[in-house]
Amino acid sequence: MERLQGLNSEQVEERVRKGFVNTTQKGTERNEKQIIRDNLFTYFNFLNLGLFLLVVLTGKIRNGLFIGTVIFNTCVGIFQEIRSYRQLKKMKILVASKVEVMRDGKWIKETVDHLVLDDLIRVHTGMQVPADCVIEQGWIEVDESMLTGEADRIIHHEKEEIYCGTAVTSSSCLARIVRVGKQCATAKIIEDAGRLSRARSVLQESLDRMIRIISYVIIPFLILLFAVHVYRLGMSWQDGILKTTAAVIGMIPEGLVMLTSVALAVSAMRLSRRKVLVQDLFSIESLARVDTICLDKTGTLTKGTMSVRDVIQLDASFPLKEWMSSYLHGSMDPNATQKALLSFYGDACIYHKTDELPFSSQRKYAAASFKTGSLYVGAYQFVFPDGNELIAQKLEKHMHDGDRAIVAAYTDECTLKKDGLPEDLRPVGIFLISDDLRNNVQNIMHYLYRQDVDVRIISGDDPKTVSALAAKAGVLHAENYVDLSKTDLDEEELVERYTVFGRVLPDQKKKLVQALQKKGHTVAMTGDGVNDVPALKCADVSIAMASGTDAAKDSSNVVLLEDDFGVIPDIVNEGRRVINNISRASSMYLVKTCFSVLLSLFVIVVGQPYPFLPIHLTLISALGVGIPTFLLQMEPSFERVQKHFFFHAFMKALPSSITVFMCAMIAVGIRNWFQFGDEMFNGIFVLVTSVVYLVTLWRVYHPVTKLRVMVIGLMGCGYVLACLFGGDVLYLSYSPQSLLYVCMLIAGMPVILYIADRICVMVQKHIGKE
């Protein structure tokens, strides 16, 4: 056979110069320019810039200090996201898909992005085809479901074309690249698939919805408020702009989007220290919401290493050891089971192998042909789909310890059937293979159940074997198992009845995940093989092992770099920390938004001036929201994430917003009754609102910790110092009489807050979203 040649260095450099490089761009990835652009060019930034320019026109520039907060938020967001991006990029290099390519007569490993047109590459089980190729030598079986929508496996032989992105399920071959990058026939499909594989984010959806609502509300309010202040109250246009700007600034939760992005980016960096690669930031949130996790037995419950515990000879006259050693000789891409058999039988060419059929997760067996016959090795139910009484009797005695049973069957036929089984197969041996449990698996199961996360075991192995191992691992109701190769029930019935699913085909894994989702569950799926890819892609969040196939890693939101399933509790905790703290921060931001809307409605209906100036809200936002939420964002907070994220945040914020509004009404009454000047009124109202914010911080960040008490205390000191010593800058003044009214309002505040809180609780119960 003619020896195939790859490219030399000069040929590679020439193709690189001409742009014939296999550069790829996944739809979910962002680069540094995009991060900067996404943080700079936002609706709120443009709105704040416009308001700042209006304030500049009035000549009272100190009221434009809010733009400093906007700039600070934007810079922090850009810095943290780029820092996280660079860290994660370094980690991605460690798990980047590498392909064996012949260069200068030698086989070397290159990343997919460094392949060029006409490169000769090795394609093998478990990898995704990196570019459009033509098979030069050998054959492979591929899953082309991403192209055709069908789950069938297709066998391709020499001179046939295989397409970029398709998953190799069996065998190996040498192939020549004929199209690269965007020239590949499937380039558009792959790009679209990248976008669709992102974890669903309730948080992102809620933020987008909130921004849309605020966007619709702000412009009409801006016009009406300016008209009321100038034309109804007779203010100058400068004062009208300042009052209107204050109201609009109050409605904008300017730091919330930034805080969310930063919190997710920082969490991704924290997880990277635990050797967890987060490929999609919002998958951190999704993991926090997971209530059902689907696990394969191998690599999750077990270590993934196997050993032959016992051999049952079914035909005493058959030389099983010699045939198995010859069958295993030169095996293409041996899996864990074959490696265990290799370790037991060795690798010797006693009988010359003429052809080979590698293992496939679809057919569950492998085979090899020799000059005098053929040997088929695989799962009992798939090698003998109609059953075999002799095997059944033997297995009945040996299948209670969680061992995996592999059957060897012989036929006199010397030609392999690659699309079926010979009729004269006879069993010659059974191999009992043990798969050791992970050391910490029981602790992980206990943790998941304590966190109200249900567990389903989905495996291609015998359900009795999987059930026994699952019971040892601490999986509840592991005795409820089903063989999916022998049931007619639909998936929705199955997921309600059973915990352990055995003999599961790749497409069935996907259907089981979808059935759980239809039942209202948030599902995480773990996997490491090509057979797991369909389920990984449709799960709410997917987790792969770094030692798994390229197809599994590329399809997953999270990759465990050290194959340590024990980090799952850390990932879930990190997600809960982020979401719970963002929920608390959202409540703080929404306080200002809600009371600003209420006060604006009051101004429009009653015809009173808006009680704040922009500089007042800058102070209140900084000390009451921005600084404390930023400092407390990484606080431990591992309680289960509530549903209806922003509804709960809103209901926490509403009592404080109502309290600020009611205090404003009382303060306006005091001003009108005692004829206080504007600065005296400002002093009363700003100080009272500051106290409301401190009380809200105490209520939202509960139970208290030393850090929380310290942060709230520092913010309180900041308010007092600003109000007492920053009066000239903040347009505030105080007298003994005004301070008396401040004390009276503060004394009455608990009553107002309690009544508002009870009303909100009643509304919440009425709506049915406790």
Side-chain angles (χ1 to χ4, degrees):
M1 183 181 293
E2 182 183 352
R3 187 173 185 271
L4 297 172
Q5 293 294 323
L7 302 178
N8 58 40
S9 299
E10 292 180 2
Q11 291 171 321
V12 172
E13 289 175 7
E14 180 185 357
R15 283 159 175 76
V16 172
R17 283 196 302 270
K18 291 181 178 180
F20 298 145
V21 184
N22 194 44
T23 52
T24 58
Q25 179 65 43
K26 292 188 178 180
T28 57
E29 292 180 346
R30 291 200 302 166
N31 55 36
E32 293 183 10
K33 289 183 180 178
Q34 288 173 315
I35 291 172
I36 294 171
R37 183 192 65 198
D38 292 348
N39 279 275
L40 281 177
F41 303 117
T42 67
Y43 173 78
F44 286 151
N45 280 358
F46 281 121
L47 184 60
N48 277 301
L49 180 60
L51 294 172
F52 174 72
L53 294 176
L54 288 175
V55 170
V56 170
L57 290 175
T58 67
K60 298 181 179 180
I61 193 69
R62 75 180 77 169
N63 281 287
L65 286 176
F66 64 87
I67 200 67
T69 303
V70 175
I71 294 171
F72 175 77
N73 287 342
T74 303
C75 291
V76 168
I78 291 172
F79 171 77
Q80 287 286 17
E81 284 200 60
I82 288 180
R83 183 167 169 243
S84 174
Y85 166 79
R86 289 176 177 173
Q87 175 70 19
L88 296 178
K89 189 176 180 180
K90 291 178 184 177
M91 295 180 67
K92 284 185 179 181
I93 293 173
L94 300 176
V95 295
S97 301
K98 290 189 176 181
V99 179
E100 285 187 275
V101 56
M102 182 175 280
R103 299 273 176 86
D104 295 317
K106 297 179 180 178
W107 287 104
I108 63 171
K109 287 191 175 183
E110 274 287 6
T111 58
V112 171
D113 286 354
H114 288 166
L115 299 177
V116 299
L117 188 67
D118 298 323
D119 259 332
L120 182 68
I121 62 173
R122 277 182 177 153
V123 182
H124 57 80
T125 303
M127 70 181 287
Q128 282 185 306
V129 180
D132 288 356
C133 304
V134 169
I135 297 176
E136 296 278 10
Q137 190 178 101
W139 64 273
I140 58 170
E141 183 185 67
V142 298
D143 176 1
E144 295 185 351
S145 57
M146 66 170 291
L147 303 179
T148 64
E150 302 295 332
D152 295 336
R153 271 57 175 169
I154 310 296
I155 293 178
H156 288 285
H157 301 278
E158 290 181 10
K159 306 307 177 185
E160 291 184 357
E161 192 164 342
I162 51 178
Y163 297 102
C164 177
T166 53
V168 183
T169 56
S170 182
S171 192
S172 63
C173 70
L174 300 183
R176 183 85 60 183
I177 294 177
V178 294
R179 284 185 293 274
V180 293
K182 292 185 178 180
Q183 281 71 48
C184 291
T186 58
K188 180 61 179 173
I189 297 173
I190 292 171
E191 186 178 352
D192 291 342
R195 291 194 188 97
L196 293 172
S197 64
R198 293 191 67 171
R200 178 175 178 262
S201 170
V202 176
L203 177 59
Q204 182 68 54
E205 292 169 3
S206 300
L207 283 171
D208 290 342
R209 192 181 308 117
M210 183 184 71
I211 290 170
R212 282 198 303 272
I213 293 170
I214 293 173
S215 302
Y216 295 143
V217 167
I218 279 179
I219 302 303
F221 267 93
L222 192 151
I223 296 169
L224 287 172
L225 286 167
F226 181 77
V228 167
H229 284 102
V230 174
Y231 298 107
R232 187 174 175 183
L233 297 176
M235 289 184 177
S236 65
W237 66 269
Q238 292 94 337
D239 289 340
I241 284 176
L242 288 178
K243 291 291 187 179
T244 302
T245 300
V248 174
I249 289 172
M251 296 179 198
I252 302 173
E254 68 280 346
L256 183 56
V257 177
M258 180 279 299
L259 188 71
T260 302
S261 299
V262 168
L264 291 172
V266 170
S267 284
M269 291 189 64
R270 290 169 66 99
L271 287 172
S272 72
R273 299 190 190 107
R274 297 284 289 136
K275 303 302 180 183
V276 176
L277 171 60
V278 180
Q279 305 200 95
D280 173 10
L281 288 181
F282 281 103
S283 61
I284 297 173
E285 174 206 347
S286 300
L287 274 166
R289 300 182 187 281
V290 162
D291 58 27
T292 304
I293 186 166
C294 297
L295 308 174
D296 192 358
K297 174 177 68 68
T298 306
T300 51
L301 297 184
T302 63
K303 297 176 181 178
T305 55
M306 303 178 184
S307 58
V308 177
R309 188 179 65 81
D310 196 8
V311 177
I312 305 171
Q313 184 99 17
L314 299 177
D315 185 344
S317 63
F318 185 82
L320 183 61
K321 181 177 180 181
E322 290 80 2
W323 274 89
M324 283 300 300
S325 185
S326 301
Y327 159 80
L328 294 165
H329 177 72
S331 294
M332 293 186 288
D333 308 311
N335 56 27
T337 303
Q338 289 173 314
K339 287 177 182 177
L341 291 169
L342 272 167
S343 177
F344 187 82
Y345 281 112
D347 179 356
C349 185
I350 300 170
Y351 306 112
H352 180 68
K353 190 185 301 183
T354 57
D355 197 6
E356 184 173 3
L357 180 67
F359 178 82
S360 163
S361 58
Q362 189 77 12
R363 58 177 168 265
K364 304 290 186 185
Y365 63 82
S369 62
F370 303 84
K371 292 180 180 179
T372 58
S374 300
L375 198 67
Y376 286 74
V377 180
Y380 158 53
Q381 289 91 338
F382 287 82
V383 177
F384 292 95
D386 297 326
N388 182 283
E389 187 175 344
L390 176 61
I391 297 175
Q393 290 174 353
K394 296 291 184 181
L395 291 184
E396 190 67 30
K397 299 177 182 179
H398 294 87
M399 292 304 294
H400 301 292
D401 297 325
D403 289 335
R404 175 183 297 190
I406 302 297
V407 173
Y410 176 79
T411 174
D412 291 326
E413 293 186 18
C414 300
T415 302
L416 291 178
K417 295 185 68 174
K418 296 182 179 178
D419 56 354
L421 290 162
E423 294 181 359
D424 63 339
L425 275 178
R426 71 175 193 271
V428 293
I430 301 174
F431 314 108
L432 299 178
I433 298 177
S434 63
D435 199 348
D436 297 330
L437 288 172
R438 288 184 178 273
N439 296 330
N440 57 351
V441 67
Q442 292 181 339
N443 293 334
I444 298 169
M445 291 302 120
H446 291 159
Y447 167 82
L448 292 172
Y449 288 123
R450 284 199 309 271
Q451 300 301 320
D452 299 320
V453 177
D454 200 7
V455 177
R456 297 286 195 279
I457 309 299
I458 302 177
S459 175
D461 292 336
D462 185 282
K464 292 181 181 179
T465 301
V466 181
S467 173
L469 274 171
K472 289 181 180 179
V475 176
L476 299 180
H477 312 298
E479 70 279 4
N480 296 333
Y481 62 84
V482 61
D483 186 334
L484 258 63
S485 67
K486 296 181 178 179
T487 180
D488 296 326
L489 295 176
D490 62 39
E491 286 75 13
E492 291 193 37
E493 287 186 82
L494 289 170
V495 295
E496 288 293 321
R497 292 189 188 185
Y498 300 104
T499 300
V500 174
F501 303 87
R503 298 296 179 214
V504 186
L505 297 177
D507 195 52
Q508 290 176 317
K509 289 188 178 185
K510 175 181 176 181
K511 289 178 180 178
L512 289 171
V513 171
Q514 290 174 328
L516 286 165
Q517 291 170 325
K518 286 178 183 178
K519 295 289 184 181
H521 297 289
T522 302
V523 183
M525 175 72 195
T526 67
D528 58 3
V530 174
N531 58 317
D532 298 315
V533 170
L536 290 169
K537 279 189 169 292
C538 76
D540 293 288
V541 61
S542 48
I543 306 168
M545 307 293 176
S547 62
T549 62
D550 294 338
K553 289 184 288 185
D554 291 343
S555 302
S556 297
N557 306 116
V558 176
V559 180
L560 308 184
L561 297 183
E562 293 188 342
D563 293 350
D564 182 8
F565 190 64
V567 301
I568 289 295
D570 294 325
I571 299 174
V572 174
N573 280 342
E574 192 60 45
R576 292 185 174 184
R577 178 207 303 269
V578 171
I579 302 308
N580 287 326
N581 283 327
I582 289 176
S583 177
R584 291 187 174 98
S586 299
S587 295
M588 298 306 303
Y589 279 101
L590 289 173
V591 168
K592 181 166 67 75
T593 299
C594 292
F595 79 62
S596 294
V597 171
L598 292 173
L599 289 174
S600 297
L601 288 171
F602 173 75
V603 168
I604 293 168
V605 174
V606 178
Q608 288 285 334
Y610 191 79
F612 287 117
L613 290 172
I615 195 170
H616 300 152
L617 288 173
T618 301
L619 171 70
I620 290 168
S621 296
L623 297 179
V625 186
I627 296 173
T629 55
F630 186 80
L631 293 175
L632 296 172
Q633 189 55 47
M634 286 296 118
E635 271 256 282
S637 182
F638 304 139
E639 62 269 21
R640 187 175 180 180
V641 173
Q642 293 179 320
K643 295 182 179 179
H644 313 295
F645 174 80
F646 266 104
F647 176 81
H648 286 282
F650 174 77
M651 294 308 293
K652 283 183 181 179
L654 195 55
S656 296
S657 301
I658 293 172
T659 302
V660 172
F661 176 73
M662 294 304 299
C663 288
M665 300 301 97
I666 297 170
V668 167
I670 292 171
R671 178 187 63 185
N672 294 339
W673 182 266
F674 294 101
Q675 298 297 308
F676 282 152
D678 287 342
E679 291 193 359
M680 192 74 71
F681 168 75
N682 293 341
I684 295 172
F685 192 40
V686 168
L687 193 53
V688 170
T689 303
S690 301
V691 174
V692 173
Y693 262 92
L694 293 174
V695 173
T696 306
L697 278 171
W698 185 273
R699 294 176 71 239
V700 169
Y701 287 92
H702 194 80
V704 294
T705 62
K706 290 182 179 179
L707 176 61
R708 292 174 179 178
V709 171
M710 183 177 71
V711 169
I712 294 170
L714 287 174
M715 297 306 105
C717 292
Y719 276 133
V720 171
L721 293 174
C723 291
L724 293 181
F725 301 104
D728 292 339
V729 176
L730 297 169
Y731 305 102
L732 308 176
S733 67
Y734 294 95
S735 67
Q737 187 182 11
S738 68
L739 289 173
L740 176 63
Y741 290 120
V742 167
C743 293
M744 291 173 62
L745 280 170
I746 292 173
M749 188 188 303
V751 177
I752 301 172
L753 193 58
Y754 177 80
I755 294 171
D757 193 46
R758 290 298 92 199
I759 292 171
C760 290
V761 169
M762 290 172 61
V763 170
Q764 192 170 353
K765 287 183 178 179
H766 179 72
I767 294 175
K769 291 184 177 180
E770 292 181 285

